[in-house]
Amino acid sequence: MRPEDLVHFCAPGRLIIGCGARRELPALLERLGYRRGVVVTDSYFVNNTPWVRELVDASRALGIRYFVFDGGEPDPTTTLCNEATASVLRALDGQMPDHVIALGGGSNIDLAKALCLTLPRGRPVQDFIGDLAGCKPLPLIALPTTSGTGSEATPGAILLDPDNATKVAVMDNALRPLLALVDPEFTYTCPPRVTADAGIDALTHAIESFVTLDSALYERGSCVDPGYSGRSSLTMMFARESMRLCAAWLERAYTRGDDTQARIGMSYASIYAALSYGSAGLNAGHGIAYAIAGQTHKSHGSTNAVILPYVIDALRDVRFPELLEVARIFGITEPDGYAAVRRLPVELRALVARLGIPTDLRSFGIEEASRDALLRDALGVARLAKAFPVADIAAAYEGIIDNAWRGSLAGDHELSIV
Ligand SMILES: NC(=O)c1ccc[n+]([C@@H]2O[C@H](COP(=O)([O-])OP(=O)(O)OC[C@H]3O[C@@H](n4cnc5c(N)ncnc54)[C@H](O)[C@@H]3O)[C@@H](O)[C@H]2O)c1
C-alpha cells in the first residue's frame, strides 16, 4: 500500500463455493436468462459420475438445453480444440449456444475457454493467440473437479502446440469465467496421483505469486487491461491463506482421499491461490516447468513440483521477509530466520518426495545434454521470465536449472555442517 502501487485485480464474475452447490446451477442460469449451452467435459465424467446427467436433466426441466461434448483430454492440444470446434458446430447445426459449461480439471476448462472463442467465429484457435482486444467470447461457467489449476479464475487457456511441443496461451480478461462454481464434492473422486499433482500446482501458484514482482514494477507496456500485473497486498492476502490451507491439507488429501475436510480445505486453497496468481501472475517456476513439460510430457503439477524448491532457494536473499513468513506457515520454527529460510526449500523438496514426485531434474528424465535447450526454452517464455524479481534473470535461471539437475539446495550444505 504505497503511492506507486497500482492494483488491477480481476476475478471471475461470480464465485460460488460450497459442497453440493452444483445443484443450484440450473436455477441460477435460468434466472440469468441462459437457454442453450454446450457442456465441455471428458468421458470419465459422463461414464463414471452422475453430474452431467443431473445437470442436463435439471436444466431441461427449466427450459435450458445442452449439447454435451465429452471429448476432453489431459493437456489439450490446438488440434483437439480445432477438431472439437468443428464437431460441436456440426452438432449445433447453426444454432449458436448462449453459454459454455466446463466440467473437469484444468484441461477441460482450458479447452472450454478456447471453444468460447472459436465456436462463434468458426476459426482455428491459433488465430486467437496474441491480442484479443475487443473480442467477445461466449460466457463460460467453470466447474473445477481438481484442486488445482485455478483455471476457473484466470484469463488464460493453455494449449499444447503439437508442431513444436510447446504450450501456447490464449489470454485475455474477457476469457475469465462468468461464473466459477467450486463444489468440493467434485474432487472426492480424484485418484491420489491427480490429487497430488493438482495440489502441488495450487501450492506453487500461491508461493510463486507471493514472491513475484511488485505491481508497481510490473511491465504492462501500454495495456490498460492486463491479465497479469504483479503482486499487491490484495493478491498476497489470498496467497497467504492458500499456503496455510495447503500446509494443513495437501498431504492429507493425497494420503486420505476420503477425508472430506482435507478435500474442502484444498478446494479453498486452490481457488484462493488462483485469486492471487490470477492477477499477480507467475514467474520462473512455471516458466521452467513449461520447458520441462516440453521435454518430458509429464503432468503440469509434477513439472512445477520438481522445480519449485530450487526457484525458492534462488530467492532467499531478495525475498527474505516473505520466505520467512512462508517458512513459519510450513511449521519451520528455527529462531534464526536465516536458517529457517534456507530450510524452507529443503522441506518443500521433502514434501514433493512424499507426494511421489521426483525431486531433481535428472531423475525426472532431463538429459544432461538437454539442459541448454531447457534454459533457452524457459527464458523464451518471456512473460514469466520478466516477472522474476532478480537483477540478472538469465543467470538466475541457469543457476536454478543447474541446482535442480544436481538436486542441490543451499540448506543441504547447512544441514550437513550441522
Ligand atoms: N488456464 C490456466 O490458468 C491453467 C493454470 C494451470 C494449469 N492449467 C492446465 O491445466 C491442465 C492440468 O489440469 P489438472 O491438473 O486439473 O488435470 P487434468 O484436467 O489434466 O485432469 C487429469 C486427469 O484427471 C481426471 N480427473 C479430473 N478430475 C477428476 C475427478 N474429480 N475424479 C476423477 N478423475 C478426475 C481427468 O479426467 C484427467 O484424466 C494442464 O493442461 C495445464 O496446462 C491451466
Side-chain angles (χ1 to χ4, degrees):
M1 288 168 285
R2 301 157 303 181
E4 65 271 28
D5 284 339
L6 174 57
V7 178
H8 198 114
F9 186 77
C10 301
R14 282 181 180 73
L15 173 59
I16 298 174
I17 313 176
C19 292
R22 65 187 181 278
R23 296 193 190 90
E24 294 177 9
L25 184 61
L28 174 59
L29 293 178
E30 196 238 356
R31 180 187 158 90
L32 295 175
Y34 293 106
R35 294 294 174 265
R36 188 180 169 81
V38 173
V39 177
V40 177
T41 188
D42 64 60
S43 57
Y44 173 83
F45 297 101
V46 170
N47 297 328
N48 301 290
T49 75
W51 303 323
V52 177
R53 175 64 26 223
E54 285 171 2
L55 171 70
V56 170
D57 289 350
S59 302
R60 188 186 298 116
L62 296 171
I64 308 171
R65 301 267 161 180
Y66 283 107
F67 169 73
V68 177
F69 174 81
D70 67 356
E73 291 171 13
D75 297 326
T77 59
T78 49
T79 311
L80 173 69
C81 181
N82 293 336
E83 287 169 2
T85 304
S87 100
V88 173
L89 284 176
R90 256 194 321 274
L92 293 175
D93 198 20
Q95 290 195 285
M96 205 32 68
D98 55 23
H99 69 291
V100 172
I101 293 185
L103 174 70
S107 295
N108 292 353
I109 299 176
D110 282 6
L111 176 62
K113 274 184 186 170
L115 289 174
C116 286
L117 282 167
T118 58
L119 287 177
R121 296 162 187 85
R123 280 170 33 207
V125 68
Q126 288 89 339
D127 287 6
F128 300 94
I129 296 166
D131 192 3
L132 290 181
C135 196
K136 293 221 180 317
L138 290 169
L140 176 66
I141 288 94
L143 314 181
T145 61
T146 58
S147 306
T149 68
S151 178
E152 66 276 10
T154 69
I158 315 289
L159 301 171
L160 256 174
D161 178 354
D163 290 339
N164 48 23
T166 55
K167 289 189 171 184
V168 292
V170 184
M171 204 168 286
D172 194 275
N173 279 324
L175 280 177
R176 288 188 202 260
L178 169 87
L179 165 62
L181 189 148
V182 179
D183 184 339
E185 290 177 7
F186 281 141
T187 67
Y188 292 1
T189 51
C190 275
R193 189 69 270 133
V194 173
T195 303
D197 288 359
I200 200 84
D201 192 21
L203 175 60
T204 306
H205 293 154
I207 300 183
E208 215 175 315
S209 60
F210 194 65
V211 297
T212 200
L213 209 60
D214 286 326
S215 63
L217 300 174
Y218 199 91
E219 160 73 59
R220 299 162 199 234
S222 55
C223 185
V224 290
D225 188 27
Y228 297 105
S229 53
R231 68 176 186 171
S232 66
S233 55
L234 180 55
T235 62
M236 292 174 78
M237 195 171 75
F238 283 110
R240 202 175 275 119
E241 184 61 7
S242 176
M243 288 186 282
R244 198 187 63 73
L245 289 164
C246 287
W249 299 117
L250 172 50
E251 265 192 276
R252 180 85 179 159
Y254 171 59
T255 54
R256 288 291 309 270
D258 60 349
D259 183 331
T260 53
Q261 198 53 56
R263 293 294 195 182
I264 295 167
M266 284 310 296
S267 290
Y268 278 85
S270 172
I271 185 67
Y272 287 171
L275 291 172
S276 171
Y277 94 91
S279 289
L282 299 167
N283 51 65
H286 272 66
I288 301 173
Y290 283 162
I292 298 170
Q295 289 194 13
T296 63
H297 306 291
K298 296 209 174 135
S299 78
H300 177 70
S302 67
T303 55
N304 282 331
V306 69
I307 202 71
L308 175 69
Y310 306 96
V311 172
I312 298 308
D313 208 29
L315 293 176
R316 60 185 190 276
D317 294 328
V318 74
R319 286 291 186 253
F320 178 80
E322 292 87 346
L323 292 181
L324 183 55
E325 210 183 328
V326 180
R328 299 302 185 220
I329 288 173
F330 276 85
I332 298 169
T333 52
E334 263 115 325
D336 176 7
Y338 178 76
V341 166
R342 285 165 82 89
R343 172 92 181 276
L344 174 65
V346 177
E347 291 297 330
L348 290 173
R349 187 180 57 188
L351 171 65
V352 169
R354 291 196 298 278
L355 293 173
I357 300 168
T359 57
D360 61 75
L361 289 180
R362 202 172 0 182
S363 34
F364 203 75
I366 299 289
E367 305 284 341
E368 183 161 23
S370 313
R371 284 165 49 183
D372 287 348
L374 190 70
L375 176 62
R376 185 199 58 221
D377 293 349
L379 286 168
V381 192
R383 71 187 159 84
L384 295 173
K386 73 178 187 184
F388 199 46
V390 300
D392 188 341
I393 292 165
Y397 270 46
E398 192 173 359
I400 291 167
I401 289 171
D402 191 45
N403 286 335
W405 199 78
R406 292 183 291 110
S408 167
L409 293 166
D412 291 334
H413 310 300
E414 192 155 280
L415 292 179
S416 60
I417 291 164
V418 172

